[in-house]
């Protein structure tokens, strides 16, 4: 009896890169986020995230400019390597604070195109970023999902359609991350494709 031939289609691409100037910004930006968090604590929801409509917009805060620009360039490199033909623009950016026992259930960022998580303040043994493998058959195999360990200065870039979440944060010190969502840049898209 011959063996079944198995092909693998539609891989999910997850990119990562380390920020060369992370040490310069880690303390000041972490303290800035924690200060903002403590001011608006009443609007915070379980798991350490603002409700999206009440998010503090880090794209409009000049303290994040240098980091936001580096993240933009990194996402541009990611999309270039994958030969994206749709120009992307950062549509929103916010920060998340995870205190002890906080976690985030699986979710996605549809209808955005590319999302990313930047580990601003964390411990390597802290709560990982999980990615769900939603391919039906692979839910029943050892390749059921992947994770990225939190490392300060690490940026993880991925499709906004991938389900992702955060494991239970078991450390006493806060885990601070930034999140960005990229969508279609309408002006560049229209200029390039005349649509």
């Amino acid at each position: 009896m011959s063996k079944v031939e198995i092909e693998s289609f539609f891989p999910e691409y997850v990119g990562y890169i380390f920020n060369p100037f992370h040490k310069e910004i880690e303390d000041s930006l972490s303290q800035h986020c924690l200060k903002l968090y403590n001011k608006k604590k009443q609007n915070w929801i379980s798991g350490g995230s603002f409700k999206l409509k009440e998010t503090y917009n880090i794209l409009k805060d000049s303290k994040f400019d240098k980091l936001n620009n580096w993240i933009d360039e990194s996402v541009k490199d990611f999309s270039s390597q994958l030969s994206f033909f749709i120009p992307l623009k950062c549509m929103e950016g916010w920060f998340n604070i995870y205190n002890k026992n906080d976690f985030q259930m699986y979710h996605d960022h549809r209808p955005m195109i590319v999302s990313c998580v930047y580990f601003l303040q964390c411990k390597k043994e802290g709560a990982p970023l999980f990615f769900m493998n939603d391919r039906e058959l692979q839910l029943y195999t050892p390749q059921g999902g992947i994770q990225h360990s939190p490392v300060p200065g690490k940026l993880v870039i991925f499709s906004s359609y991938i389900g992702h979440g955060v494991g239970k944060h078991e450390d006493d010190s806060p885990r601070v991350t930034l999140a960005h969502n990229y969508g279609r840049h309408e002006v560049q898209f229209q200029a390039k494709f005349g649509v």
Side-chain angles (χ1 to χ4, degrees):
M1 182 173 179
S2 57
K3 281 180 115 174
V4 174
E5 296 296 325
I6 299 175
E7 298 177 321
S8 177
F9 295 110
F10 311 120
E12 298 287 3
Y13 298 102
V14 176
Y16 66 92
I17 185 171
F18 293 92
N19 181 353
F21 59 86
H22 178 77
K23 292 277 186 212
E24 298 169 27
I25 62 169
E26 181 177 4
D27 289 339
S28 62
L29 281 186
S30 296
Q31 291 308 311
H32 183 56
C33 290
L34 290 166
K35 191 174 176 182
L36 291 165
Y37 165 77
N38 287 324
K39 276 186 186 176
K40 297 209 176 252
K41 216 172 205 174
Q42 69 277 6
N43 291 330
W44 217 258
I45 60 172
S46 176
S49 301
F50 274 125
K51 295 175 185 171
L52 275 180
K53 292 182 181 171
E54 299 170 0
T55 301
Y56 182 84
N57 187 349
I58 64 173
L59 303 180
K60 293 185 177 179
D61 185 336
S62 62
K63 292 185 179 184
F64 293 92
D65 283 353
K66 183 176 181 182
L67 181 57
N68 286 337
N69 290 335
W70 177 80
I71 290 172
D72 283 348
E73 289 303 313
S74 299
V75 169
K76 193 182 290 183
D77 181 40
F78 174 83
S79 58
S80 174
Q81 287 189 56
L82 294 177
S83 302
F84 277 37
F85 60 86
I86 298 173
L88 298 179
K89 178 182 180 183
C90 190
M91 308 301 260
E92 52 195 12
W94 66 97
F95 66 88
N96 297 297
I97 308 284
Y98 292 84
N99 291 309
K100 190 167 187 174
N101 298 320
D102 284 343
F103 63 93
Q104 180 67 56
M105 299 292 286
Y106 280 119
H107 63 285
D108 61 51
H109 293 194
R110 297 168 196 242
M112 295 297 171
I113 297 169
V114 169
S115 297
C116 51
V117 171
Y118 182 78
F119 295 102
L120 183 58
Q121 179 184 294
C122 57
K123 293 191 175 172
K124 289 181 185 176
E125 62 279 359
L129 172 65
F130 286 105
F131 291 100
M132 176 190 292
N133 186 338
D134 64 358
R135 304 289 189 259
E136 183 183 349
L137 290 176
Q138 291 183 354
L139 290 173
Y140 306 104
T141 68
Q143 298 84 18
I146 59 170
Q147 71 179 43
H148 265 269
S149 298
V151 178
K154 182 181 189 181
L155 175 70
V156 182
I157 308 167
F158 52 94
S159 164
S160 301
Y161 284 65
I162 299 177
H164 58 284
V166 176
K168 185 176 176 184
H169 183 60
E170 297 182 350
D171 194 68
D172 290 326
S173 58
R175 176 187 187 272
V176 183
T177 59
L178 307 181
H180 294 72
N181 280 333
Y182 288 77
R184 190 166 96 169
H185 193 307
E186 292 297 335
V187 174
Q188 287 184 11
F189 185 80
Q190 290 169 0
K192 187 172 183 178
F193 298 103
V195 180

